[in-house]
Amino acid sequence: NAGVTQTPKFQVLKTGQSMTLQCAQDMNHNSMYWYRQDPGMGLRLIYYSASEGTTDKGEVPNGYNVSRLNKREFSLRLESAAPSQTSVYFCASTGPGGAYGYTFGSGTRLTVV
Amino acid sequence: KNQVEQSPQSLIILEGKNCTLQCNYTVSPFSNLRWYKQDTGRGPVSLTIMTFSENTKSNGRYTATLDADTKQSSLHITASQLSDSASYICVVSRNYGGSQGNLIFGKGTKLSVKP
């Protein structure tokens, strides 16, 4: 099915470990995003990539890095995980101007202990 | 400050009943308003999107309204079904340059439909 695919779906890390969350879309969308969702809060933007080759910080970028590998793939890296990064992470993509809404992946539930 | 406030925080209704969810926003400059449905353990799925000039839009049993003057929106669900149990998120997009990365999310209303 066409859409946004995220891997892994679940992950437990120890404090200080690193990992990369993968995201791929097959809708030929230009723009891709990484959000985190915490209980009692709205989704917050971590990083986004308006087009292939560009990335920009969102609202909560500290502790994260991203790579727009090609038009399809946008990865999120935690270099040294902290308990405050325990969250559900969503990748999303959208076409030009976002006119048709954002398509979200099913999420990665990350726990840092 | 750009904010999106939703009410109620949670709602329980009986199957077959109607309900209305509210969204108030203080986002400027306004581009569009979207309603998303998020099932437990899944990503949000778009229900409707409305621009400044649109004041109502339907998607099956879901009808969204927008009053850009009062900066209020509502999502009305008709003849609720058990599958409507989910969180409903109001999202306002700022018209800021290319409008990339300028979505302001509400915290959502958690709807439970009981048999």
Side-chain angles (χ1 to χ4, degrees):
Chain A
N1 291 337
V4 178
T5 302
Q6 290 184 235
T7 56
K9 292 189 182 302
F10 301 94
Q11 183 71 50
V12 178
L13 289 179
K14 294 182 178 179
T15 298
Q17 286 185 318
S18 63
M19 78 161 295
T20 300
L21 281 64
Q22 306 288 352
C23 175
Q25 52 91 8
D26 57 7
M27 297 169 287
N28 202 34
H29 284 168
N30 288 327
S31 303
M32 298 185 71
Y33 308 82
W34 276 105
Y35 289 91
R36 61 178 289 172
Q37 186 175 38
D38 300 297
M41 302 186 73
L43 276 78
R44 293 182 292 168
L45 181 65
I46 304 171
Y47 270 93
Y48 67 98
S49 171
S51 61
E52 186 179 356
T54 68
T55 61
D56 285 286
K57 296 179 180 179
E59 181 184 356
V60 288
N62 291 344
Y64 306 95
N65 285 302
V66 290
S67 294
R68 183 73 182 268
L69 304 172
N70 48 54
K71 190 170 187 179
R72 291 186 63 248
E73 299 173 285
F74 188 39
S75 62
L76 178 71
R77 183 161 178 83
L78 287 70
E79 291 290 352
S80 179
S84 61
Q85 293 177 306
T86 294
S87 187
V88 181
Y89 292 85
F90 289 99
C91 178
S93 70
T94 188
Y100 298 102
Y102 285 43
T103 301
F104 285 84
S106 58
T108 295
R109 184 174 293 275
L110 175 67
T111 302
V112 183
V113 298
Chain B
K1 184 177 179 181
N2 293 300
Q3 283 186 315
V4 175
E5 301 285 346
Q6 292 187 243
S7 62
Q9 189 172 2
S10 62
L11 181 62
I12 300 173
I13 62 173
L14 293 176
E15 186 178 13
K17 299 296 186 182
N18 303 335
C19 68
T20 300
L21 314 181
Q22 301 290 344
C23 173
N24 297 334
Y25 62 92
T26 56
V27 177
S28 180
F30 176 88
S31 177
N32 58 66
L33 185 145
R34 313 157 191 242
W35 282 95
Y36 283 85
K37 178 186 179 187
Q38 185 176 20
D39 292 313
T40 301
R42 306 299 298 271
V45 175
S46 181
L47 292 175
T48 63
I49 177 170
M50 290 182 291
T51 59
F52 185 89
S53 59
E54 297 174 297
N55 53 26
T56 187
K57 184 162 284 189
S58 293
N59 179 357
R61 294 180 296 102
Y62 301 101
T63 299
T65 65
L66 173 64
D67 186 334
D69 291 332
T70 62
K71 299 187 177 181
Q72 296 180 323
S73 176
S74 65
L75 180 68
H76 186 75
I77 304 174
T78 304
S80 61
Q81 300 176 359
L82 298 179
S83 58
D84 292 332
S85 295
S87 287
Y88 291 85
I89 303 173
C90 176
V91 186
V92 179
S93 178
R94 298 174 68 201
N95 186 11
Y96 192 80
S99 294
Q100 301 299 337
N102 283 292
L103 298 186
I104 312 297
F105 287 79
K107 296 178 182 180
T109 292
K110 186 175 177 63
L111 174 66
S112 297
V113 181
K114 302 295 185 184

